Amino acid sequence: MCKRGCKPNYYISIGMLLSTATYFLYDAHWITHEIRFISLVISVILMMYGLFKTKSQSKN
């Protein structure tokens, strides 16, 4: 968990929100398979960036 005074990691939150919205929109047949794939790749990259950014800041 986060120590006192640290900032929340919005990259992971936005990535999870994008991933969840993608599944709901695909299930409702509002987006195509290609848009679903691109959106999920972007959300995974965003979450990975949030993880590595947090790790690099904690080393300093």
Side-chain angles (χ1 to χ4, degrees):
M1 198 70 181
C2 189
K3 294 180 183 177
R4 288 185 181 173
C6 73
K7 297 177 183 178
N9 195 343
Y10 292 114
Y11 292 104
I12 295 177
S13 301
I14 292 171
M16 290 295 292
L17 183 66
L18 180 64
S19 174
T20 304
T22 299
Y23 277 114
F24 283 131
L25 291 175
Y26 183 72
D27 211 25
H29 302 289
W30 284 13
I31 59 174
T32 62
H33 181 71
E34 293 83 14
I35 295 174
R36 175 184 174 229
F37 178 73
I38 292 169
S39 178
L40 290 176
V41 168
I42 290 171
S43 66
V44 167
I45 290 171
L46 193 63
M47 289 186 280
M48 293 295 283
Y49 176 73
L51 285 175
F52 290 128
K53 182 181 175 191
T54 304
K55 286 183 181 180
S56 67
Q57 285 179 352
S58 65
K59 289 181 180 177
N60 293 334

